[in-house]
């Protein structure tokens, strides 16, 4: 799976379209206010569990309101942020986060080998490729067996954070990723590319084979002919040449029909399938011939909403479950919403006529604008000539029409 990512340019571009924004995420750390929640108390733990279980949109709004009211406190300088942004002395945090995203998306599992200080505190991590972890912990043997670079040995389970997607066939086993389901398609695409490379590198089959009869005393020259063929037809310049061999004078045309194999159609279909599996709009891969500025903005929002946000929610949930308790059990980790601002929506909001049902700051919030303190609590005035809206239909004052001939007279 990782070999396909390293060797297939299209597949690498598809995965990077999601992994790069994930690696550039801005994380935030919140803790319950110790003046209102005793650290480690059951009330504080219940509040943390409630916040972690919220939907991402509700969680961000709740923590913003709770920070304004003083129930929760945002920590802009926290060890969790230092671990995520600077986890390794040799690699930047964004590169390490991208590796975690690629591992989590393709094989379905990522391993963070925690780096500890002399006092035992977590100060960083080493991203370990999944294939380097050959054994995972069990209740009887709580150790990982890792073979990575120059190290080969057992690592305690407390020193590795295991991020994984649960396999429905065996939730307790190894992780399951979306890339695993594409294994056959990726192998087929690699075979198509290898066949093309071999064909053009070898120069293809000769355009014709001419045989010249040497008589009954001719020797078997199969090996010599093979050697001669390899010398003459092992470079692209030899394509289309005529080959003369010993034997009866015959002319046989050789042609390999790549169109009949539908290699281009099959390769394009496999590429589109890989893009669709990761919910990437075609315009984000340069596959939109008639794209406009408006459609490009919409595709950016679709990419963030359908592809980046779901993976980011999984990553944050797994970090809160595995990494945060080993660094600060009282903290809660969240991430900024990756969805960009919809300028079309902002334009529609600011150019529409608001009514008295909302305040000006609510209108500004719908348009993606920050609240204005001078407009706090103020509502739009009705437009000139506007009539009040009736909650219930008015009772008709005109008499009903006649229903019989006698009433009509």
């Amino acid at each position: 799976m990782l070999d396909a990512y390293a060797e297939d340019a299209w597949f690498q571009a598809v995965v990077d379209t999601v992994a790069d924004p994930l690696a550039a995420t801005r994380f935030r750390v919140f803790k319950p206010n110790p003046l209102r929640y005793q650290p480690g108390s059951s009330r504080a733990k219940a509040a943390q569990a409630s916040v972690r279980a919220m939907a991402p949109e509700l969680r961000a709004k709740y923590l913003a309101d709770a920070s304004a009211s003083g129930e929760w406190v945002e920590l802009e300088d926290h060890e969790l942020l230092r671990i995520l942004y600077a986890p390794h002395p040799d690699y930047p945090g964004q590169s390490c986060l991208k590796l975690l995203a690629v591992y989590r998306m393709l094989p379905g599992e990522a391993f963070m080998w925690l780096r500890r200080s002399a006092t035992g505190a977590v100060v960083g991590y080493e991203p370990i490729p999944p294939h380097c972890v050959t054994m995972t912990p069990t209740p009887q043997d709580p150790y990982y067996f890792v073979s990575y670079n120059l190290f080969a040995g057992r690592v305690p389970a407390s020193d590795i954070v295991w991020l994984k997607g649960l396999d429905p066939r065996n939730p307790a086993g190894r992780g399951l990723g979306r890339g695993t389901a594409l294994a056959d398609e990726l192998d087929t695409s690699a075979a198509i590319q290898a066949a093309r490379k071999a064909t053009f590198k070898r120069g293809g089959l000769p355009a014709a084979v001419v045989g010249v009869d040497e008589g009954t005393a001719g020797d078997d020259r199969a090996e010599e002919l093979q050697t001669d063929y390899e010398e003459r037809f092992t470079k692209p310049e030899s394509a289309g040449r005529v080959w003369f061999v010993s034997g009866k004078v015959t002319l046989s045309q050789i042609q390999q029909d790549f169109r009949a194999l539908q290699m281009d159609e099959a390769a394009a279909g496999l590429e589109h399938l890989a893009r669709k599996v990761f919910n990437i709009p075609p315009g984000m891969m340069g596959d939109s011939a008639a794209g406009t500025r408006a459609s490009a903005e919409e595709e950016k929002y679709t990419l963030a909403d359908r592809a980046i946000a779901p993976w980011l929610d999984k990553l944050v949930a797994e970090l809160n479950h595995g990494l945060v308790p080993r660094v600060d059990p009282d903290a809660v980790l969240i991430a900024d919403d990756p969805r960009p601002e919809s300028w079309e929506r902002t334009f529609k909001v600011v150019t529409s006529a608001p009514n008295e049902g909302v305040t000006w700051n609510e209108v500004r919030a719908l348009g993606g604008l920050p609240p204005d303190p001078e407009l706090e609590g103020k509502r739009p005035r009705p437009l000139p000539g506007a009539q009040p809206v009736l909650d219930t239909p008015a009772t008709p004052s005109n008499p009903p029409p006649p229903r019989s001939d006698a009433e009509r007279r």
Side-chain angles (χ1 to χ4, degrees):
M1 189 58 55
L2 297 179
D3 291 339
Y5 172 80
E7 298 172 1
D8 191 329
W10 173 266
F11 186 60
Q12 185 177 137
V14 168
V15 176
D16 286 351
T17 303
V18 181
D20 286 336
L22 288 175
T25 300
R26 175 176 175 259
F27 294 97
R28 303 167 67 186
V29 177
F30 289 84
K31 292 181 66 174
N33 192 338
L35 300 178
R36 301 192 181 186
Y37 295 90
Q38 183 179 0
S41 63
S42 57
R43 185 166 172 264
K45 293 180 179 179
Q48 295 166 16
S50 176
V51 170
R52 291 175 181 175
M54 292 181 181
E57 299 83 0
L58 297 178
R59 180 169 57 227
K61 186 178 184 305
Y62 172 81
L63 289 176
D65 296 339
S67 298
S69 63
E71 291 189 10
W72 286 73
V73 179
E74 181 177 2
L75 303 176
E76 298 182 356
D77 185 16
H78 192 270
E79 51 266 28
L80 274 171
L81 300 178
R82 292 192 291 270
I83 292 171
L84 292 174
Y85 294 149
H88 200 281
D90 298 329
Y91 315 123
Q94 188 168 345
S95 298
C96 294
L97 283 173
K98 181 180 178 179
L99 279 180
L100 294 180
V102 171
Y103 294 155
R104 182 61 182 82
M105 292 166 59
L106 298 185
E109 56 185 0
F111 296 91
M112 304 169 64
W113 190 353
L114 301 180
R115 307 172 66 90
R116 298 184 181 271
S117 64
T119 59
V122 179
V123 296
Y125 67 89
E126 181 94 20
I128 305 297
H131 60 270
C132 294
V133 180
T134 57
M135 187 182 71
T136 57
T138 61
Q140 296 77 20
D141 190 14
Y143 289 90
Y144 292 88
F145 191 87
V146 178
S147 178
Y148 181 64
N149 287 340
L150 300 178
F151 176 85
R154 291 153 57 92
V155 179
S158 58
D159 286 346
I160 290 184
V161 177
W162 187 7
L163 313 177
K164 71 170 182 175
L166 299 181
D167 188 346
R169 299 167 297 183
N170 182 17
R174 302 298 293 260
L176 177 66
R178 230 171 254 192
T180 308
L182 284 173
D184 293 339
E185 287 77 7
L186 294 175
D187 288 344
T188 304
S189 179
I192 292 175
Q193 301 301 328
R196 286 177 173 175
K197 176 182 177 181
T199 298
F200 287 98
K201 183 178 180 180
R202 187 179 60 245
L205 297 175
V209 176
V210 177
V212 179
D213 189 8
E214 289 186 348
T216 57
D219 299 330
D220 185 7
R221 298 185 55 199
E223 294 183 358
E224 295 181 8
L225 292 177
Q226 181 178 359
T227 303
D228 187 26
Y229 169 79
E230 292 175 353
E231 291 179 355
R232 294 173 180 266
F233 297 97
T234 55
K235 53 186 178 297
E237 293 81 1
S238 62
R241 293 177 57 184
V242 178
W243 185 25
F244 293 87
V245 297
S246 299
K248 293 182 179 181
V249 179
T250 57
L251 177 64
S252 300
Q253 186 177 4
I254 301 175
Q255 182 177 5
Q256 186 168 349
D257 189 1
F258 288 100
R259 187 180 299 274
L261 296 176
Q262 295 185 339
M263 294 180 66
D264 292 338
E265 292 81 358
L270 294 172
E271 290 176 353
H272 291 314
L273 176 62
R275 176 182 58 78
K276 293 177 182 178
V277 165
F278 290 97
N279 299 332
I280 299 177
M284 294 293 96
M285 300 297 300
D287 199 15
S288 180
T292 61
R293 174 74 178 271
S295 63
E297 294 293 336
E298 289 300 321
E299 287 188 338
K300 287 181 181 179
Y301 187 88
T302 302
L303 173 68
D305 184 60
R306 303 293 179 84
I308 300 174
W311 283 109
L312 183 59
D313 296 343
K314 296 176 184 178
L315 182 62
V316 170
E318 293 169 4
L319 289 175
N320 273 316
H321 178 76
L323 177 63
V324 173
R326 308 186 193 195
V327 179
D328 187 352
D330 297 329
V332 173
L333 182 71
I334 69 170
D336 283 352
D337 193 342
R339 300 171 183 86
E341 185 62 41
S342 177
W343 297 111
E344 182 179 0
R345 176 182 176 183
T346 302
F347 176 77
K348 290 182 179 180
V349 169
V350 299
T351 56
S352 62
N355 56 61
E356 299 176 87
V358 293
T359 64
W360 278 115
N361 280 334
E362 289 175 342
V363 174
R364 292 174 63 86
L366 288 174
L369 301 174
D372 188 347
E374 296 182 359
L375 299 176
E376 186 63 32
K378 295 183 179 181
R379 296 177 181 272
R381 294 180 180 181
L383 297 176
Q387 298 295 326
V389 179
L390 298 177
D391 295 334
T392 58
T395 303
S397 58
N398 57 319
R403 299 183 179 179
S404 63
D405 294 339
E407 292 181 356
R408 290 191 180 95
R409 294 172 186 168

